[in-house]
Amino acid sequence: QVQLVESGGGLVQAGGSLRLSCAVSGSSFSGNVMGWYRQAPGKQRELVAYISSSGNTNYAESVKGRFTISRDNAKNTVYLQMNSLKPEDTAVYYCNKYSISPYRNWGQGTQVTVSS
């Protein structure tokens, strides 16, 4: 069974940085496009960024220039470096396949809180 374990969240002041990690086990990782998603209170989950197996990336307009997604296929891990954080980045962050058929079981996510 696929397991997604996100970590690295926390409380940070506006303008600060965090680096999130997502370890994937129980599934082939290197061939999948992986994405980071977030869900703020009262809002739907949204895509933040995704990265292809070869390293091509794409970002939501709201984070472009501030966030960087990367992956280490040897470690089955995808990362999200978040700089210049804003209060509106506050959310629970999740990773999953960027696919019409993502992994069924999402991880617990990691809370990111940005204070103004």
Side-chain angles (χ1 to χ4, degrees), residues 53-91:
S53 57
S54 59
N56 293 320
T57 59
N58 196 285
Y59 298 91
E61 283 298 323
S62 59
V63 307
K64 200 171 288 186
R66 300 187 297 121
F67 291 10
T68 303
I69 188 171
S70 61
R71 65 192 295 162
D72 186 334
N73 289 335
K75 295 183 178 179
N76 282 13
T77 300
V78 60
Y79 304 97
L80 187 67
Q81 177 67 43
M82 306 187 297
N83 299 328
S84 302
L85 282 161
K86 303 176 181 180
E88 51 264 44
D89 295 318
T90 295

Side-chain angles (χ1 to χ4, degrees), residues 1-4 24-27 103-106:
Q1 186 169 341
V2 176
Q3 189 173 20
L4 305 168
V24 181
S25 60
S27 174
Y103 296 124
R104 182 178 303 177
N105 297 321
W106 291 74

Side-chain angles (χ1 to χ4, degrees), residues 5-17:
V5 180
E6 300 93 348
S7 62
L11 172 63
V12 64
Q13 287 188 330
S17 298

